[in-house]
Amino acid sequence: MQSLQQKALEWSGVAGEDAFAIDDTNLYQKLGHQTFVDLSTNFYNRVYADDQEWFRSIFANSNKEDAIQNQYEFFIQRMGGPPLFSQRKGHPALIGRHRPFPVTREAAERWLQHMQNALDSVPKIDADSKTCMQNFFRHTAFFLVAGNQMMNEQQRCAHNPQHKQ
Amino acid sequence: MQSLQQKALEWSGVAGEDAFAIDDTNLYQKLGHQTFVDLSTNFYNRVYADDQEWFRSIFANSNKEDAIQNQYEFFIQRMGGPPLFSQRKGHPALIGRHRPFPVTREAAERWLQHMQNALDSVPKIDADSKTCMQNFFRHTAFFLVAGNQMMNEQQRCAHNPQHKQ
């Protein structure tokens, strides 16, 4: 069975050495706190105004302001800044926290398209930083598709023993 | 409904400001790479030799050397060192990766007892570092008990709609 990492690398098309290149530079120090707030605000403004209901509805039970804060605090923590997310909410636990959402390949691609547009809309983000972040986001999105699939598979198996691997 | 963080704080008894006090010092720089290898090796030697079969059996399908490496690479990454875990395996995704294991309160307490003994067996770990790590481990263990409960709850709900919250 392929690991989460193998699936994420294969499905995202992001090379292993690029997926976590965000760790080669301290992007928080380089870009500053407000840049991450601006990025997540721009991103969720796009998501909550998406004209495709199937995608917009994924976020229907989440408060937009909470979604923005959760996201920029995680980005800040993961990209070299203070551990704001963990201090407020505990471990990122990305797969567990995304469990309620249908993280399909289509949803991942649409999430990434909105994030691409958001990255292009925040002038403070230079080309090198943007490339690092795009690779990280793309790897992470498909890592979560793999996580979603793993969870659904385990759920089915628990109720249909003949499907056990 | 209580959040994962609220449950982790309540059940662990670790105060919010202590749970991630590991982030106030760079423990990797302070203690060095080999200390984390020694800690995880000592820990898993205890786990795999546990005289209580119910606990030892949780790890029966995992290779001990893999378990040791996974653990010290995560600790190193989380405590200020290079992102060894993510480079090899992707996001820590603690709840998702612990999904196959029955992370009960009893299992958390026994995990913590072995870790306490392991911490006491590695002379390089000074008293202050030990306190920080104990609080982090205790918070994390009960965060995973809460995550385990959340997953099981969602799994039941998915198959018994009348249980939906």
Side-chain angles (χ1 to χ4, degrees):
Chain A
M1 193 177 69
Q2 273 191 309
S3 70
L4 291 168
Q5 177 76 334
Q6 286 166 335
K7 288 181 182 171
L9 293 171
E10 182 182 321
W11 296 347
S12 70
V14 177
E17 61 271 29
D18 295 331
F20 289 93
I22 57 160
D23 289 318
D24 298 340
T25 314
N26 189 317
L27 289 170
Y28 178 76
Q29 286 178 1
K30 189 175 175 188
L31 301 173
H33 185 100
Q34 190 58 41
T35 304
F36 290 94
V37 178
D38 293 348
L39 177 65
S40 295
T41 304
N42 193 293
F43 170 77
Y44 275 112
N45 282 343
R46 293 171 187 280
V47 165
Y48 279 83
D50 193 329
D51 59 10
Q52 297 208 16
E53 203 271 338
W54 70 270
F55 186 77
R56 201 175 67 241
S57 71
I58 296 173
F59 304 85
N61 292 326
S62 309
N63 174 280
K64 184 161 93 167
E65 282 65 40
D66 290 344
I68 291 169
Q69 185 180 8
N70 290 341
Q71 190 187 75
Y72 75 67
E73 287 190 352
F74 169 67
F75 288 173
I76 284 171
Q77 171 167 331
R78 191 59 191 80
M79 298 189 200
L84 301 179
F85 186 91
S86 289
Q87 282 166 357
R88 195 167 57 87
K89 303 200 61 166
H91 290 281
L94 289 182
I95 292 176
R97 293 190 195 271
H98 283 81
R99 179 69 190 82
F101 307 110
V103 189
T104 61
R105 292 183 187 217
E106 294 72 24
E109 289 291 4
R110 192 146 188 92
W111 190 102
L112 288 164
Q113 186 58 57
H114 286 307
M115 184 51 83
Q116 176 67 57
N117 292 337
L119 286 164
D120 290 338
S121 303
V122 180
K124 188 76 187 289
I125 303 175
D126 61 286
D128 283 352
S129 302
K130 200 185 288 186
T131 300
C132 283
M133 290 166 83
Q134 281 166 337
N135 283 329
F136 173 75
F137 292 145
R138 192 162 180 87
H139 178 274
T140 301
F142 284 94
F143 180 86
L144 290 177
V145 174
N148 190 256
Q149 191 188 68
M150 177 185 76
M151 292 293 179
N152 290 336
E153 198 60 39
Q154 286 180 343
Q155 187 163 309
R156 267 203 304 281
C157 290
H159 292 265
N160 290 306
Q162 71 271 24
H163 286 160
K164 270 192 178 141
Q165 293 174 351
Chain B
M1 191 177 72
Q2 273 191 311
S3 69
L4 291 168
Q5 177 75 336
Q6 286 166 334
K7 287 181 183 170
L9 293 171
E10 184 184 320
W11 296 347
S12 71
V14 177
E17 62 270 28
D18 295 330
F20 289 92
I22 55 159
D23 290 319
D24 298 341
T25 314
N26 189 318
L27 290 170
Y28 178 75
Q29 287 178 0
K30 189 175 173 186
L31 302 175
H33 186 100
Q34 190 58 40
T35 305
F36 290 93
V37 178
D38 292 349
L39 178 65
S40 295
T41 304
N42 193 293
F43 171 76
Y44 275 111
N45 282 342
R46 292 170 187 280
V47 165
Y48 279 83
D50 194 329
D51 59 10
Q52 297 208 16
E53 201 272 337
W54 70 270
F55 186 77
R56 201 176 65 240
S57 70
I58 296 173
F59 303 85
N61 292 325
S62 309
N63 175 281
K64 184 162 92 168
E65 282 64 40
D66 290 344
I68 291 169
Q69 185 180 10
N70 290 341
Q71 189 187 75
Y72 75 69
E73 287 191 350
F74 169 67
F75 288 172
I76 284 170
Q77 170 166 330
R78 189 60 190 79
M79 297 189 199
L84 301 179
F85 186 91
S86 289
Q87 283 165 357
R88 194 167 58 88
K89 301 200 60 163
H91 290 281
L94 288 182
I95 292 176
R97 293 191 195 269
H98 283 82
R99 179 69 189 82
F101 307 109
V103 188
T104 60
R105 294 184 187 214
E106 293 70 24
E109 290 291 5
R110 193 147 188 91
W111 189 103
L112 289 165
Q113 185 58 57
H114 286 306
M115 183 52 80
Q116 176 67 58
N117 292 336
L119 286 164
D120 290 338
S121 303
V122 180
K124 188 80 187 285
I125 303 175
D126 61 287
D128 283 352
S129 301
K130 199 186 288 187
T131 301
C132 282
M133 290 167 83
Q134 281 166 337
N135 283 328
F136 172 76
F137 293 145
R138 191 162 180 86
H139 178 275
T140 302
F142 284 94
F143 180 87
L144 290 177
V145 174
N148 189 255
Q149 192 188 66
M150 178 185 75
M151 292 293 179
N152 290 336
E153 199 60 39
Q154 285 178 344
Q155 186 163 309
R156 267 202 305 280
C157 290
H159 292 265
N160 290 304
Q162 71 271 24
H163 286 160
K164 270 192 179 141
Q165 293 175 351

